[in-house]
Amino acid sequence: MGYNKPANESNAFTLDQRLAHDTLRLGALPLCEVLLFDDVRYDWLILVPRKPLVVEFLELPEVEQVQLAAEVQQVSRALKQWQPQAKLNVGALGNVVAQLHIHVVLRHPQDPAWPGPVWGHSPRQPHTEHEAAERCLFWRQRLQLEG
């Protein structure tokens, strides 16, 4: 798979189709949509600024760069409070999905990709409908989000 530029030609925010397919929506922070990567093996949250056609962090106005950093920090704290012993990975690659999005992932020696990167390691293992509902409720409550 190659680098995919955002297909949205309008001024409206739309979530990249790949992100929409691979995630469960948790809710919204002031700037970002908060998503749960749909893989039972990881606590993996993704923040996507609701800005159309934004690919790079530098494309955001400075005030929104600061807001994005604050939201990444908020999500990171929630993850670390949940599992303080885990290693926290934060990244914004964008090589496959160009739309600006930030991955915040808890890692531990028992995860299948350890110690390598989680991106592209193996096919995701989606939650069952029941597991998805429970995980989404869990993270919505921890992050104080409304679904």
Side-chain angles (χ1 to χ4, degrees), residues 2-145:
Y3 178 77
N4 296 319
K5 289 227 170 224
N8 180 6
E9 298 288 330
S10 75
N11 287 330
F13 168 78
T14 56
L15 187 62
D16 181 275
Q17 287 301 328
R18 185 169 171 131
L19 286 175
H21 178 264
D22 293 346
T23 63
L24 304 166
R25 185 178 184 276
L26 296 177
L29 293 170
L31 178 63
C32 294
E33 290 295 302
V34 183
L35 311 170
L36 172 67
F37 188 68
D38 190 11
D39 191 322
V40 297
R41 301 170 298 172
Y42 302 100
D43 287 298
W44 184 338
L45 304 181
I46 300 172
L47 288 87
V48 184
R50 285 184 304 281
K51 296 294 177 179
L53 303 176
V54 173
V55 173
E56 305 293 351
F57 176 78
L58 295 172
E59 294 173 18
L60 293 172
E62 188 173 340
V63 67
E64 290 176 351
Q65 291 177 17
V66 170
Q67 181 63 38
L68 178 55
E71 292 179 15
V72 167
Q73 191 173 55
Q74 177 182 347
V75 168
S76 297
R77 278 194 189 111
L79 282 161
K80 283 296 281 186
Q81 286 172 353
W82 162 238
Q83 291 187 21
Q85 74 287 359
K87 174 66 180 103
L88 182 70
N89 288 180
V90 178
L93 301 178
N95 296 346
V96 175
V97 174
Q99 181 175 45
L100 178 61
H101 61 288
I102 312 297
H103 298 266
V104 187
V105 188
L106 283 181
R107 302 294 309 280
H108 51 82
Q110 296 77 31
D111 80 45
W114 185 269
V118 292
W119 295 276
H121 172 267
S122 58
R124 66 185 174 89
Q125 296 178 10
H127 296 85
T128 65
E129 191 173 325
H130 178 73
E131 290 169 336
E134 283 186 345
R135 279 325 269 168
C136 287
L137 179 60
F138 175 84
W139 284 113
R140 282 182 187 123
Q141 289 174 340
R142 289 192 86 79
L143 294 167
Q144 301 177 352
L145 299 172

